[in-house]
Amino acid sequence: MAVFLAQIVNGISLGSVYVLLVTGFNLLLLVAMIIHYSFPIVVVFSMYISWIVLGLTGGNMFLGLSAGIVSAVLINILTAPMFQHIMKKRGDVDINSTMVLSMGIGMIITDFLSHSVNSGFPIAFPDSLTGRGEPAFIRLGVISMSRGDMLSLTLGIIFVLGLFWILYKTRAGRAFRAIAEDPNGAKLVGIPILKTGLQSYALTGLLGGVSAVAMSILLGSASPGLGDQLGRKVLAVSIIAGLGNLKGGLIVGISLGILEALVQGYWSGTWSNSIAFVVMLIAILVKPKGIFGMKL
Amino acid sequence: MNKSGETILSVENLFVSYGHVEALKGVSLEVKRGEIVVLVGSNGAGKTSIMETILGVNQTRKGRIIFEGREITNLSSDKIVRSGIFLVPEGRGVFSSMSVLDNLLLGAHHNLKNAKEKTAYVYELFPVLGQRRNQIAGTLSGGERQMLSIARALMSNPKMIMVDEPSIGLAPKIVNDIFKILQNLNKEGYAILLSEQNVYKALKLADRGYVLETGSVVLDGTSEGLLHNTDIRKAYLGA
Ligand SMILES: Nc1ncnc2c1ncn2[C@@H]1O[C@H](COP(=O)(O)OP(=O)(O)OP(=O)(O)O)[C@@H](O)[C@H]1O
Ligand SMILES: [Mg+2]
């Protein structure tokens, strides 16, 4: 029981990171009409930026983490013109071409990380950030959490709630949902499509940055291949929940985190990815259009 | 209301094509402040194309559109909506996955100031929308959706409302209700550009009309005049 509860809590931490990533991916898909497969690779790149800045500033947390967040927003906005070019012509362009562009961006980043940073070796974040090696931060009966776990869980929950608040309670969020349902109809009611698309870029960039911070704390390390691995997971979660289904992504993202944590707790961490994909494979066989239905 | 007043919208010699399809071939028309003007024409005549071009959805190949003395040709749709034109699209164009209230607020996207007062105003006009404000628009009936689409237009502070074939798919009684609503809105001062295949009812409602055939205006005049025109009676009124 102790292991079970502890792993549920760990799973929610991990799951909230997945939710941030999946929601960013879904937003780009729905609002900007981009299949941004490499969105998680950009996030991993931001973890590397944090790590580099931490090294340069002698471990200044604030500067390191801010640099990661800023870089995620910047990359998203800088790559926007390429995607926007496709968006403008979206009548004639197949949305799949955005995926090729995204994969290209991902490949360049992954190559860069494996050649030019830390000689391609995985990077590790300092214990002062992750809270490793410290006594448990809180202990509630059988559950104990480190300071890092606590922090990333809090970040994850706050930002997931904040994100859904933006989507369902604000003017920009309403415009995002309108474009997602019917881009032509959204134009007819006077929503500026390109500008709103850009806002979704900035928001997903911010999400990416926050995910990078949460992952740096939670995972404590990163490698050049991490982005690809997360990219596959995020794509899978989005499809299994129902492509573009925001609430579905929330539920499946958290569930995946819990599933992986349970496998790690009861069996072996090295198998958690494979098992997660077996479960997802079964889910997609049973519900080919996603558990909660496609929104595209 | 003085209907022989100033021109609010003038469309001059408008040409629009979709690829090789020439949809509009030199259309000119006018709407005056306080008027209801109807576009009459069979399927494919170009009614929707005119409205969407006025709204900036389609690029013109030639011609000018002037609204309240300002040229708006080829401006982006969001700017044109800001200037006071709003479209109630063919097929209603409501967002089915969103709530009635969200749909209304989308009409006011460019100006959410006084959104509360504006929603209160449309709930007064359409009590059924007030009762269902939190319901998903996809669950509304056809007539209710048309009301929602008209109410959404009102949320935008329009000076001119374009209504594209509102009677499509509605029972005769509901069509009468909708036409009554348009008439009342017109009395409140909104200029209305209407497109209809229900020619008799539309001409009864409107001040003036334009008859379109394959992208050109073939006839125009007062509703009274058009109702008595023998060609119109033959082609559209089955007389
Ligand atoms: N997106 C498009 N691509 C190609 N051709 C189009 C497009 N939209 C309209 N057309 C063509 O332009 C012409 C005018 O169409 P439009 O929709 O304006 O007619 P309409 O009078 O609104 O007809 P309806 O009463 O059926 O709604 C038609 O020949 C139509 O086939
Ligand atoms: Mg039409």
Side-chain angles (χ1 to χ4, degrees):
Chain A
M1 193 60 190
V3 178
F4 182 76
L5 284 178
Q7 289 312 92
I8 293 277
V9 174
N10 284 338
I12 293 174
S13 303
L14 184 60
S16 61
V17 171
Y18 291 151
V19 172
L20 289 173
L21 291 174
V22 169
T23 310
F25 174 84
N26 278 338
L27 270 184
L28 286 166
L29 182 66
L30 292 167
V31 183
M33 297 275 257
I34 295 170
I35 308 181
H36 205 347
Y37 168 81
S38 301
F39 176 63
I41 301 184
V42 173
V43 173
V44 169
F45 183 72
S46 300
M47 293 172 75
Y48 271 76
I49 297 282
S50 281
W51 180 81
I52 292 170
V53 173
L54 279 172
L56 292 176
T57 59
N60 186 321
M61 293 299 158
F62 177 76
L63 285 182
L65 297 179
S66 310
I69 294 180
V70 171
S71 72
V73 176
L74 279 184
I75 295 177
N76 247 27
I77 290 183
L78 290 179
T79 50
M82 291 188 276
F83 287 117
Q84 293 248 300
H85 181 71
I86 295 178
M87 260 179 85
K88 269 190 194 150
K89 304 184 168 183
R90 70 165 127 204
D92 330 316
V93 176
D94 188 350
I95 184 173
N96 294 326
S97 60
T98 61
M99 181 143 143
V100 176
L101 187 51
S102 166
M103 286 166 115
I105 293 170
M107 237 173 270
I108 293 169
I109 292 178
T110 304
D111 269 1
F112 172 75
L113 297 182
S114 27
H115 296 306
S116 309
V117 186
N118 206 23
S119 319
F121 291 114
I123 56 170
F125 289 91
D127 290 351
S128 53
L129 176 67
T130 61
R132 267 176 309 213
E134 290 174 19
F137 186 69
I138 46 168
R139 222 175 259 288
L140 275 177
V142 292
I143 303 173
S144 72
M145 285 183 85
S146 73
R147 185 168 55 84
D149 289 349
M150 197 57 218
L151 199 60
S152 62
L153 179 62
T154 315
L155 263 185
I157 290 175
I158 288 176
F159 272 82
V160 168
L161 289 178
L163 180 64
F164 277 77
W165 180 80
I166 289 176
L167 283 173
Y168 287 91
K169 296 283 177 217
T170 69
R171 173 176 181 266
R174 196 181 305 119
F176 290 164
R177 285 180 292 131
I179 293 180
E181 179 177 330
D182 177 3
N184 292 321
K187 198 171 172 185
L188 296 183
V189 298
I191 294 172
I193 305 291
L194 286 179
K195 190 174 138 211
T196 311
L198 272 180
Q199 287 172 345
S200 76
Y201 272 78
L203 179 64
T204 46
L206 183 64
L207 272 185
V210 172
S211 317
V213 170
M215 289 195 318
S216 305
I217 300 172
L218 188 69
L219 307 178
S221 64
S223 62
L226 178 63
D228 244 326
Q229 192 189 329
L230 287 170
R232 282 193 291 273
K233 264 187 207 168
V234 164
L235 184 64
V237 169
S238 177
I239 291 174
I240 282 159
L243 212 51
N245 191 319
L246 296 166
K247 288 175 181 160
L250 174 70
I251 296 168
V252 176
I254 295 280
S255 310
L256 177 65
I258 293 176
L259 173 69
E260 287 184 13
L262 288 177
V263 173
Q264 279 163 15
Y266 284 102
W267 194 10
S268 150
T270 48
W271 284 101
S272 64
N273 282 329
S274 314
I275 290 183
F277 271 94
V278 168
V279 172
M280 292 202 274
L281 189 68
I282 294 169
I284 208 70
L285 286 174
V286 177
K287 285 250 178 191
K289 295 227 159 187
I291 299 172
F292 299 94
M294 268 201 255
K295 286 281 163 121
L296 210 60
Chain B
M1 169 121 342
N2 177 14
K3 298 194 174 179
S4 55
E6 51 170 329
T7 303
I8 185 167
L9 172 85
S10 89
V11 172
E12 300 168 6
N13 197 28
L14 200 63
F15 283 81
V16 170
S17 355
Y18 304 99
H20 295 294
V21 183
E22 271 216 313
L24 301 181
K25 307 164 190 164
V27 169
S28 298
L29 59 87
E30 252 183 24
V31 179
K32 299 198 178 88
R33 222 174 267 288
E35 259 191 334
I36 302 185
V37 171
V38 63
L39 303 175
V40 173
S42 47
N43 293 113
K47 305 180 292 296
T48 301
S49 300
I50 290 179
M51 294 188 169
E52 291 194 344
T53 308
I54 292 171
L55 199 68
V57 176
N58 305 322
Q59 295 285 304
T60 60
R61 204 155 56 67
K62 220 172 119 187
R64 299 202 307 161
I65 304 167
I66 294 166
F67 184 67
E68 293 210 298
R70 207 164 65 92
E71 174 151 10
I72 58 165
T73 327
N74 296 341
L75 285 186
S76 62
S77 299
D78 55 297
K79 293 213 178 79
I80 292 174
V81 166
R82 253 171 222 282
S83 77
I85 302 179
F86 207 91
L87 173 67
V88 177
E90 195 172 344
R92 340 293 183 221
V94 305
F95 295 86
S96 333
S97 74
M98 298 172 74
S99 69
V100 167
L101 177 59
D102 270 338
N103 270 279
L104 290 174
L105 293 175
L106 281 172
H109 183 75
H110 61 289
N111 180 10
L112 278 172
K113 258 186 274 155
N114 314 325
K116 275 233 163 65
E117 287 81 352
K118 286 192 275 188
T119 40
Y121 164 64
V122 301
Y123 290 157
E124 203 176 305
L125 285 180
F126 306 102
V128 63
L129 297 181
Q131 291 152 21
R132 316 220 159 159
R133 66 189 79 184
N134 295 319
Q135 196 170 317
I136 296 299
T139 60
L140 297 181
S141 74
E144 288 162 351
R145 278 182 207 208
Q146 190 60 270
M147 287 181 205
L148 176 57
S149 190
I150 293 171
R152 182 177 67 184
L154 295 176
M155 294 290 294
S156 76
N157 291 336
K159 293 172 185 142
M160 183 181 85
I161 306 174
M162 302 190 287
V163 190
D164 196 357
E165 301 211 32
S167 69
I168 270 189
L170 298 183
K173 176 178 176 315
I174 310 288
V175 175
N176 289 340
D177 291 348
I178 298 285
F179 274 43
K180 190 86 204 146
I181 289 164
L182 294 178
Q183 189 168 34
N184 289 338
L185 290 177
N186 177 247
K187 284 197 183 119
E188 290 199 25
Y190 297 103
I192 295 178
L193 179 61
L194 174 70
S195 101
E196 258 306 326
Q197 298 203 35
N198 199 330
V199 175
Y200 180 76
K201 272 187 186 163
L203 284 174
K204 278 283 181 203
L205 174 72
D207 298 297
R208 289 187 304 113
Y210 292 85
V211 181
L212 285 169
E213 266 169 34
T214 57
S216 307
V217 174
V218 292
L219 197 65
D220 71 276
T222 62
S223 301
E224 199 60 22
L226 292 175
L227 271 171
H228 292 102
N229 180 296
T230 37
D231 290 341
I232 299 280
R233 292 177 74 86
K234 258 197 220 124
Y236 298 101
L237 301 174

